[in-house]
Amino acid sequence: MVRLLGRFGGGSARRPGGPRPPQTPDDAHDRHEGPLKGSSPTRVERDGARTRRPGALRAAVGGRSVAGQVFVLQVVIVLLLVVAAVVALVLQVRHDSTVEARNRSVAVAQAFANAPGTVEALRSPDPSAVLQPRAEAARRATDVDFIVVMDTNGIRYTHPKPDRIGKKFVGDIAPALAGRVVTEDITGTIGPLVQAVVPIKDDGKVVGLVSAGITTAKVGGTANQQLPLLLMAAAVGLALATAGTALVSRRLLRQTHGLGPHEMTRMYEHHDAVLHAVREGVLIVGGEGRLLLANDEAHRLLDLPADAEGRHVLDLALPADTAGLLASGRVATDEVHRVKDRLLAVNQRPTDIQGGPPGSVATLRDSTELRALSGRAEVARERLDMLYDATVGIGTSLDVTRTAEELAELAVPRFADFATVDLFDAVLSGGQPEAATTLRRTALSGIREDAPLFKVGERIPLVDSAPQARGISSGRAVLEPRLAEATGWHAQDRERSAHVMEYGIHSLIAVPLRAGNLVLGTVSFWRSDKPQPFDTEEVALAEELVTRAAVSIDNARRYTREHTMAVTLQRSLLPRRLPEQDALDIAYKYLPAQAGVGGDWFDVLPLSGARVALVVGDVVGHGLHAAATMGRLRTAVHNFSALDLPPDELLALLDELVARIDQDEAEESGNSPVTGATCLYAVYDPVSRLCTIARAGHPPPALIHPDGSVEYPDVPAGPPLGLGGLPFETADLELAEGSRLVLYTDGLVEDRERDIDVGLELLRASLAQAGPSPEDTTRAVLDARPPSRATDDIALIVARTRALAADRIAEWQVPADPAAVSDVRAAVSRQLARWGLDELAFTTELILSELVTNAIRYGGDSIHVRMLYDRVLICEVFDGSSTSPHLRYAAMTDEGGRGLFLVAQLSERWGTRYTPAGKVIWAEQPLP
């Protein structure tokens, strides 16, 4: 420990010939005040004051005895010694100040001359612009008075006072031009100073000079500050000398806290033993970067040479980052540095934080084993993160293919370089997987796209020896750490296997994709760029990943199956093709919701008298229940339309049907009622160009006039079907020929992100820009929709109106006289001849004779006959009676009852419809 105190105690120990460390006023004060810095002089002096005996001291001083003379002589000797010591110290300090000024100016000048970029700055077009800020920064950092860079002629490039740049340097630069370092003691404008001139060399040639200078007052000013203190210390020393040897001994004991020489020696021995026996390296580095102390553990951890102490840390063959940290002296906390095969945790703190000597203390701790453990913990954490990401990132959609892609994308590159997912064909379509079916590549993800693996969509041939086949049969993952040695894998496809090996893929894990007892396919993880093969721990991770993905893939498969069934049911309930009719040119489009099957439907129903009914409806909800309810409502509309009911009466009957369905569902199965079903029913008559519309909670129709203008007709909005209690109202629209009537469901104009009013305005804008044909209109409407995923079904019908030409309509008023029947037959024959339908004259005369005779007999007045030449020949008889005729079979003895039977036999269809003024009996005949 004495050796340690010799090196570090008091800040005065230094190696012979070595550079003297920088000193501070505090250091000088510590050296002269006492050997034990950190003790409590105030307490000691206070305690010592109690032990003095002023009376004895005065007697000794004033006595004439030999003892008094000796005391006076001792006081004089001590006084002379103190004065001599003070003078010597002042001279020594001033000498040291000059030496320190010379050393610092030389060091700063040399450091700046050898700094990177100095030579390049001298060669630059404007050296002052580059060097002036650097010189000023270095001057402030080193606390010198000036740093002047000049060319070989002594012209200054830098100076603390910019106005002196470009002027000639004052001083002797000849030795520096010869390559030597020159120091001068001069008296300048700022006082006595020491300046050094150092050459700047490039390939041995002097290309410039650097001069640094510092005033001796700045370095040695502490002497003047310390002089009063030294005088005071001399006075105290003189006073203490008079107290005698006993008082000094007692005070020394108190200053050492009562420790004697034996106790002091034992304390330092223990301190030295602890310092060198502790299992943590300790390094003390001086302010100049020289190693001052290294304990035994530091020597072992850093493999330091025996003569390391005293050498610069950059010369100890340490790694660059470790040596740089020790030389910098910066604060470091648990920084990990690799030294040969060790990982060392380094902590470093400076020693001059509270006025201590410049330098730093570093401790070293071997964390190799800890880092290995933390590495394994990091791997475990990454695997947990991957499993968490698999939980939240796989199965975001109910699409089998997309779910497989999410699994492959998650595994690359965090776990494998390539990942493939192969599923049975039946799984992709939502069916039950069968072992005999073929595997198909469903997803492929890799760090590169040129891997010679099977591409997405290709069928995967498997042999029993292949790892994938063995995994499917055993239900467990199969590891092939070295594919080059896997003969079973090579047997699957030898040519492709050779290409895979040449590509660099060297390791494989094949995991069966199982969901319960079902094997849906297999997942393969391939490794190429990572040199280490897969191991058993990674097999467990692969199984966990695939197990979590299998649940999502199976859910997607089940959803695909149910969705396919629902779509099939829905498609079977919607019209396969539109019926033939000449009243309307119709284009339609049905878009099912991507999230599930809905209950939207539409229909086109030919009616009597060349009329056509258009129906659009919507059952709120998705799934099989909504699709089945939609089928029931569509069938009901078909049946009700056969009665030729007005739109408001048909919706009233449909409302009662929905109410009964709701009641049955609530009583039998507890399902929620189908309130929310809506419907719009429109009937168009091409003869009168009149369109009668009624709606039950459905969005209003849009009307495009022949000139292209768009409007939403005012059609009374009735309540949704199933609520009951309120009647439905109709609106009659007279449509010009060429008008387009647009019927749709709410999925077209309403979603979660916008209000229906906004959707209606967007629809109006798209209809205004649509082409003239119904097909152009449907295309324009659908193209204008936002590209987001459809959350509801969309049914769209565009019907362009036609009018039946006047020359294809024949009408007669018939008086209520049986004799008028013959006139009707004659008029019909003439009209059929004009139409070129002579072949139908006989049957038409017979049909009208029976119908007119019945009208005259049972229908009362206001008999009206009309023939329409359309796709079929239509005969209509209007009368004012609301009594409907009934077809019956007449007996052999009956005199009547065969008229309607003949009408039914001769016509293709016949029936009765009611009007506000009575009824119409009609019959249709196919054209020849």
Side-chain angles (χ1 to χ4, degrees):
M1 197 62 199
V2 174
R3 174 168 51 88
L4 295 178
L5 288 176
R7 290 177 180 175
F8 306 109
S12 60
R14 53 189 176 92
R15 295 184 181 274
R20 183 173 182 176
Q23 302 172 357
T24 64
D26 292 339
D27 296 334
H29 177 73
D30 291 342
R31 284 199 305 273
H32 292 83
E33 187 178 38
L36 294 177
K37 181 182 179 182
S39 64
S40 178
T42 303
R43 177 188 172 193
V44 173
E45 292 172 2
R46 188 168 58 246
D47 293 342
R50 297 192 190 103
T51 62
R52 292 199 192 108
R53 290 176 293 177
L57 181 59
R58 285 194 299 268
V61 173
R64 301 295 181 183
S65 64
V66 175
Q69 295 176 358
V70 172
F71 177 78
V72 171
L73 179 62
Q74 183 180 2
V75 170
V76 171
I77 293 173
V78 170
L79 180 60
L80 291 176
L81 291 176
V82 169
V83 171
V86 170
V87 172
L89 182 60
V90 170
L91 294 177
Q92 180 65 32
V93 169
R94 290 181 178 178
H95 176 267
D96 291 345
S97 299
T98 303
V99 174
E100 177 66 18
R102 184 177 293 109
N103 291 340
R104 187 183 300 184
S105 61
V106 171
V108 172
Q110 286 180 336
F112 196 88
N114 298 324
T118 302
V119 175
E120 290 76 3
L122 289 174
R123 295 174 179 172
S124 64
D126 188 359
S128 295
V130 179
L131 294 173
Q132 175 68 6
R134 295 185 185 177
E136 287 303 293
R139 180 180 65 81
R140 288 189 293 270
T142 57
D143 199 25
V144 297
D145 289 292
F146 65 84
I147 297 177
V148 175
V149 183
M150 67 197 85
D151 60 8
T152 55
N153 296 321
I155 303 303
R156 296 187 184 103
Y157 290 140
T158 67
H159 197 277
K161 295 182 178 181
D163 58 346
R164 298 188 182 181
I165 296 175
K167 297 180 180 179
K168 191 169 182 65
F169 177 74
V170 178
D172 186 10
I173 64 173
L177 293 175
R180 298 193 303 274
V181 177
V182 181
T183 59
E184 295 180 282
D185 297 338
I186 63 174
T187 300
T189 57
I190 59 176
L193 58 87
V194 178
Q195 70 178 12
V197 182
V198 175
I200 302 174
K201 296 181 179 182
D202 183 16
D203 294 334
K205 181 181 179 181
V206 177
V207 297
L209 303 174
V210 176
S211 175
I214 184 170
T215 59
T216 56
K218 178 176 293 187
V219 178
T222 56
N224 297 328
Q225 299 174 3
Q226 293 176 351
L227 186 58
L229 183 63
L230 292 176
L231 294 176
M232 185 182 297
V236 173
L238 182 61
L240 292 177
T242 62
T245 306
L247 183 60
V248 172
S249 300
R250 292 180 61 186
R251 180 160 301 196
L252 180 61
L253 288 176
R254 291 183 180 180
Q255 288 181 348
T256 58
H257 300 285
L259 295 176
H262 178 70
E263 288 81 4
M264 290 283 293
T265 302
R266 185 176 62 180
M267 181 187 68
Y268 289 143
E269 288 176 350
H270 290 175
H271 182 270
D272 189 68
V274 170
L275 179 64
H276 291 281
V278 69
R279 300 303 297 171
E280 188 170 277
V282 178
L283 296 173
I284 300 179
V285 181
E288 297 180 352
R290 295 188 178 276
L291 180 63
L292 303 180
L293 172 68
N295 69 347
D296 298 339
E297 183 68 7
H299 274 273
R300 185 184 71 85
L301 295 177
L302 297 178
D303 196 14
L304 296 175
D307 60 345
E309 297 179 0
R311 296 170 58 182
H312 201 282
V313 292
L314 297 179
D315 300 332
L316 298 178
L318 297 175
D321 57 339
T322 306
L325 172 62
L326 296 176
S328 67
R330 62 178 174 85
V331 175
T333 302
D334 288 335
E335 283 194 14
V336 178
H337 292 258
R338 179 177 292 277
V339 179
K340 294 185 178 179
D341 58 344
R342 293 188 179 95
L343 292 175
L344 303 181
V346 182
N347 291 273
Q348 182 167 271
R349 295 293 185 273
T351 59
D352 56 355
I353 297 179
Q354 297 181 354
S360 60
V361 176
T363 59
L364 312 174
R365 186 175 66 256
D366 191 352
S367 63
T368 305
E369 295 182 358
L370 180 62
R371 176 51 61 97
L373 291 175
S374 64
R376 289 195 291 270
E378 180 67 19
V379 171
R381 186 189 65 80
E382 291 178 356
R383 292 180 178 178
L384 287 176
D385 290 343
M386 188 183 303
L387 292 177
Y388 173 77
D389 293 342
T391 302
V392 300
I394 299 177
T396 58
S397 67
L398 292 175
D399 182 80
V400 174
T401 301
R402 180 55 195 156
T403 306
E405 291 172 351
E406 290 171 345
L407 170 60
E409 292 169 358
L410 176 70
V412 177
R414 300 167 65 179
F415 179 67
D417 295 326
F418 297 92
T420 59
V421 181
D422 306 323
L423 300 178
F424 291 110
D425 285 338
V427 174
L428 296 174
S429 59
Q432 290 278 0
E434 299 178 4
T437 58
T438 306
L439 283 173
R440 187 179 297 276
R441 178 63 43 88
T442 307
L444 167 63
S445 180
I447 57 177
R448 292 183 297 273
E449 298 181 356
D450 58 344
L453 300 172
F454 286 98
K455 303 303 180 184
V456 174
E458 293 183 351
R459 295 180 180 274
I460 311 300
L462 291 182
V463 296
D464 294 338
S465 61
Q468 291 83 356
R470 286 186 283 138
I472 291 175
S473 60
S474 64
R476 302 296 301 272
V478 176
L479 170 64
E480 292 290 355
R482 285 171 288 277
L483 284 177
E485 304 173 5
T487 57
W489 175 72
H490 286 281
Q492 177 177 329
D493 189 336
R494 296 189 179 277
E495 181 179 357
R496 185 179 293 271
S497 300
H499 291 320
V500 171
M501 297 301 301
E502 293 175 359
Y503 188 77
I505 296 177
H506 59 82
S507 188
L508 164 69
I509 298 178
V511 185
L513 195 64
R514 299 187 57 184
N517 296 325
L518 298 179
V519 179
L520 308 177
T522 181
V523 181
S524 301
F525 302 98
W526 313 78
R527 184 164 284 177
S528 61
D529 285 14
K530 298 178 181 178
Q532 64 273 20
F534 288 112
D535 54 27
T536 54
E537 293 184 0
E538 291 172 315
V539 171
L541 176 61
E543 288 181 326
E544 184 66 23
L545 278 176
V546 174
T547 299
R548 299 192 181 198
V551 176
S552 299
I553 292 178
D554 188 53
N555 289 338
R557 178 191 66 85
R558 295 172 183 270
Y559 172 78
T560 301
R561 180 184 60 188
E562 295 179 1
H563 183 73
T564 302
M565 293 173 56
V567 169
T568 302
L569 173 62
Q570 185 186 41
R571 294 292 187 186
S572 66
L573 296 176
L574 291 173
R576 304 291 180 86
R577 60 183 182 85
L578 298 181
E580 296 180 355
Q581 47 81 33
D582 292 334
L584 298 170
D585 287 334
I586 296 177
Y588 68 93
K589 195 68 175 180
Y590 180 82
L591 298 179
Q594 298 183 11
V597 176
D600 294 13
W601 91 93
F602 66 93
D603 221 331
V604 179
L605 306 172
L607 302 178
S608 63
R611 297 173 304 132
V612 177
L614 300 176
V615 188
V616 175
D618 182 10
V619 176
V620 176
H622 296 86
L624 291 174
H625 181 70
T629 304
M630 176 268 290
R632 298 173 69 177
L633 297 183
R634 178 171 177 260
T635 302
V637 172
H638 267 267
N639 294 333
F640 294 152
S641 67
L643 300 177
D644 258 335
L645 297 175
D648 53 342
E649 295 183 16
L650 185 141
L651 291 182
L653 294 177
L654 202 60
D655 180 62
E656 294 179 4
L657 174 63
V658 172
R660 287 197 300 270
I661 293 176
D662 291 346
Q663 183 178 2
D664 295 341
E665 292 288 343
E667 291 179 355
E668 296 180 4
S669 61
N671 292 335
S672 58
V674 194
T675 53
T678 64
C679 183
L680 185 147
Y681 189 80
V683 177
Y684 174 69
D685 187 352
V687 178
S688 62
R689 293 184 287 104
L690 193 66
C691 183
T692 303
I693 305 176
R695 60 190 180 110
H698 203 80
L703 178 61
I704 308 175
H705 295 282
D707 59 359
S709 59
V710 182
E711 69 166 327
Y712 291 103
D714 185 13
V715 178
L721 298 176
L723 296 181
L726 294 175
F728 297 97
E729 301 180 49
T730 61
D732 293 330
L733 306 177
E734 186 175 352
L735 306 181
E737 187 174 8
S739 300
R740 282 167 288 168
L741 190 65
V742 181
L743 310 181
Y744 52 90
T745 55
D746 59 355
L748 183 65
V749 296
E750 186 177 14
D751 57 31
R752 298 175 181 176
E753 298 180 357
R754 66 184 182 189
D755 190 69
I756 188 172
D757 293 335
V758 178
L760 291 174
E761 289 302 318
L762 293 176
L763 176 60
R764 181 198 300 270
S766 61
L767 292 176
Q769 300 175 358
S773 68
E775 290 78 9
D776 294 338
T777 306
T778 57
R779 189 181 305 109
V781 169
L782 297 180
D783 290 345
R785 292 178 59 248
S788 59
R789 292 170 57 89
T791 58
D792 195 6
D793 294 8
I794 295 176
L796 174 64
I797 299 179
V798 179
R800 184 171 60 186
T801 61
R802 293 177 181 175
L804 192 61
D807 58 355
R808 292 196 167 211
I809 304 173
E811 297 181 282
W812 302 277
Q813 288 292 336
V814 180
D817 184 1
V821 176
S822 60
D823 296 334
V824 172
R825 286 199 300 266
V828 167
S829 298
R830 291 192 298 271
Q831 184 62 47
L832 292 176
R834 284 194 292 269
W835 286 342
L837 300 177
D838 294 325
E839 298 180 13
L840 299 179
F842 175 75
T843 56
T844 304
E845 290 179 8
L846 184 56
I847 291 172
L848 286 178
S849 295
E850 294 296 331
L851 295 180
V852 171
T853 300
N854 286 339
I856 294 173
R857 181 176 300 176
Y858 306 108
D861 299 333
S862 302
I863 300 173
H864 181 73
V865 175
R866 185 174 70 173
M867 280 200 315
L868 305 177
Y869 180 16
D870 193 35
R871 185 177 294 272
V872 294
L873 181 63
I874 304 172
C875 299
E876 297 177 332
V877 177
F878 299 77
D879 61 48
S881 172
S882 59
T883 303
S884 176
H886 296 282
L887 178 65
R888 64 185 180 87
Y889 290 95
M892 295 296 293
T893 58
D894 290 341
E895 296 183 358
R898 298 179 179 85
L900 289 180
F901 181 78
L902 291 176
V903 171
Q905 293 296 318
L906 296 176
S907 61
E908 186 176 45
R909 292 196 312 155
W910 77 279
T912 303
R913 71 173 182 270
Y914 293 92
T915 65
K919 67 176 183 299
V920 180
I921 302 176
W922 55 270
E924 295 181 357
Q925 301 177 74
L927 299 178

